[in-house]
Amino acid sequence: MDSLDFGTLFAALRGIPLDHQDRLQLRAWLATVDDAADAVTNCIALIEQAAIGKCCPRCGGARSHRCGHASGLQRWRCLACGRSFNALSGTRLAHLRKKEHWLDYLQCLLDSRTVRASADAVQVHRTTSFRWRHRMVGGFVHERAAHLAGLVEADETYLLESQKGSRQLTRPPRRRGGVASHRGIGRDHDCLLIACERDGAALDFHCGRGPVTGAALDQCLGPVLAPGTLLISDGAAAYRGFARRHGVGHEAINLRAGERARGAIHLNHVNGWHSRFKRWLVRFHGVASRYLVHYSGWRRVLETASLAAPPRLLAAAVKAD
Ligand SMILES: [Zn+2]
């Protein structure tokens, strides 16, 4: 609405006698307008704050100058390549609208609400809710510890491959959702590897389909285990080989022989992580394999106390990529 329309409307409104009920209604409406405006301002301030010092997302140039505003965000023009960008350019949150709802939506993610419940809570459409979930989660799951140290438990858990939401299945559909084509762990299971410190960080890794291999352990655990780490695993040969190749101290728990623990040597933390993850997944009624990385990352963030606030998650999502 331009100012002329508003002026006319406001003059008309001023000519109308307002009774108590009318005034209450107007006040309530103005309060929601104020809240929405405050929410946008708050969200934009957090985004700009998180992006201080950002380089050009196209060429990496560090020098840029101010060049107006768009969608409430400062625009910058890169001195090297001449392209313009803002704090969200190159992040998964670029081009998403309705910033007045973002922080509330991030709180829905912290509350592990479903797509539909989140849509109802922040009053957006369900397709918007689905898009926001995966963009936001995809943004903040990169927030992860660089290294694990001390006693580190590592173990895999397997989830039946799922093509939920795919228009075309690459295999015959399963009856009643969930039985593998063969007994045991095979090519129709996604392998999720979790490694966790005793009272600290946990890291999630996706190791493709089927039992974990030595090559996958090299790739996932190789770069993150700090010197002096003692790795604890089950008796799978892949872990023994990994530890030998990387010169990492290693203790195996022989689960097959019924062994549970030898003093401080056990897998209780990592197995607790697995069971919390699987219990938590139940509310989503199955997750597509292609999104598994989002769900394990989302779960990991939920277990990280330092990230458990919407502004912190927003900052993480803006800094990522
Ligand atoms: Zn540039």
Side-chain angles (χ1 to χ4, degrees), residues 56 58-61 78 80-82:
C56 169
R58 289 204 176 74
C59 75
C78 172
C81 73

Side-chain angles (χ1 to χ4, degrees), residues 108-177:
C108 291
L109 294 177
L110 286 171
D111 295 339
S112 305
R113 293 192 185 213
T114 60
V115 164
R116 185 179 296 231
S118 307
D120 291 345
V122 304
Q123 296 288 297
V124 293
H125 194 270
R126 285 208 296 278
T127 54
T128 304
S129 177
F130 181 83
R131 188 181 321 119
W132 283 13
R133 171 194 279 182
H134 287 288
R135 294 276 195 91
M136 291 183 182
V137 170
F140 63 63
V141 298
H142 298 291
E143 191 83 356
R144 46 197 286 139
H147 291 102
L148 300 175
L151 293 184
V152 173
E153 300 177 23
D155 199 7
E156 333 87 69
T157 188
Y158 294 88
L159 296 101
L160 199 53
E161 173 264 354
S162 162
Q163 300 186 19
K164 183 182 178 185
S166 297
R167 285 174 202 274
Q168 285 183 328
L169 297 185
T170 58
R171 55 160 168 75
R174 293 191 195 103
R175 298 265 171 132
R176 304 182 68 83

Side-chain angles (χ1 to χ4, degrees), residues 8-274:
T8 315
L9 197 66
F10 191 56
L13 187 63
R14 288 175 64 156
I16 300 173
L18 301 173
D19 66 16
H20 180 65
Q21 202 56 37
D22 297 339
R23 292 199 306 276
L24 281 183
Q25 218 173 333
L26 259 182
R27 257 188 225 119
W29 177 72
L30 274 178
T32 63
V33 173
D34 280 349
D35 286 351
D38 289 350
V40 173
T41 310
N42 190 13
C43 184
I44 285 178
L46 289 165
I47 292 168
E48 297 282 21
Q49 173 88 29
I52 287 174
K54 177 180 176 131
C55 294
C56 169
R58 289 204 176 74
C59 75
R63 296 180 61 215
S64 53
H65 62 79
R66 288 171 193 274
C67 144
H69 283 79
S71 309
L73 292 169
Q74 175 70 52
R75 278 176 88 210
W76 301 90
R77 190 169 296 283
C78 172
L79 288 176
C81 73
R83 304 290 291 269
S84 65
F85 62 93
N86 65 29
L88 293 178
S89 301
T91 74
R92 289 162 201 252
L93 303 188
H95 311 302
L96 295 185
R97 293 162 184 270
K98 299 188 177 175
K99 294 188 184 68
E100 64 274 26
H101 297 309
W102 286 14
L103 291 168
D104 289 340
Y105 197 84
L106 286 162
Q107 184 59 53
C108 291
L109 294 177
L110 286 171
D111 295 339
S112 305
R113 293 192 185 213
T114 60
V115 164
R116 185 179 296 231
S118 307
D120 291 345
V122 304
Q123 296 288 297
V124 293
H125 194 270
R126 285 208 296 278
T127 54
T128 304
S129 177
F130 181 83
R131 188 181 321 119
W132 283 13
R133 171 194 279 182
H134 287 288
R135 294 276 195 91
M136 291 183 182
V137 170
F140 63 63
V141 298
H142 298 291
E143 191 83 356
R144 46 197 286 139
H147 291 102
L148 300 175
L151 293 184
V152 173
E153 300 177 23
D155 199 7
E156 333 87 69
T157 188
Y158 294 88
L159 296 101
L160 199 53
E161 173 264 354
S162 162
Q163 300 186 19
K164 183 182 178 185
S166 297
R167 285 174 202 274
Q168 285 183 328
L169 297 185
T170 58
R171 55 160 168 75
R174 293 191 195 103
R175 298 265 171 132
R176 304 182 68 83
V179 181
S181 57
H182 300 93
R183 289 170 67 99
I185 300 304
R187 297 304 302 170
D188 43 7
H189 286 91
D190 292 308
C191 173
L192 171 65
L193 170 68
I194 302 295
C196 64
E197 293 176 342
R198 270 299 155 78
D199 44 13
L203 290 175
D204 54 315
F205 304 96
H206 293 260
C207 304
R209 301 263 159 80
V212 71
T213 61
L217 294 178
D218 288 346
Q219 199 184 346
C220 300
L221 296 182
V224 300
L225 295 185
T229 297
L230 179 63
L231 178 67
I232 306 169
S233 73
D234 62 18
Y239 289 98
R240 267 202 311 280
F242 164 82
R244 205 172 42 240
R245 285 192 299 282
H246 293 259
V248 172
H250 179 226
E251 291 282 347
I253 293 288
N254 192 348
L255 297 172
R256 287 211 175 141
E259 188 179 31
R260 284 284 177 258
R262 289 194 307 280
I265 307 300
H266 58 73
L267 294 166
N268 296 348
H269 291 76
V270 71
N271 290 332
W273 204 104
H274 291 165

Side-chain angles (χ1 to χ4, degrees), residues 279-300:
R279 268 204 311 277
W280 175 76
L281 278 187
V282 170
R283 76 193 66 205
F284 302 116
H285 302 289
V287 303
S289 292
R290 64 197 161 113
Y291 290 130
L292 192 55
V293 64
H294 284 181
Y295 286 90
S296 66
W298 180 3
R299 181 67 222 169
R300 181 171 46 71

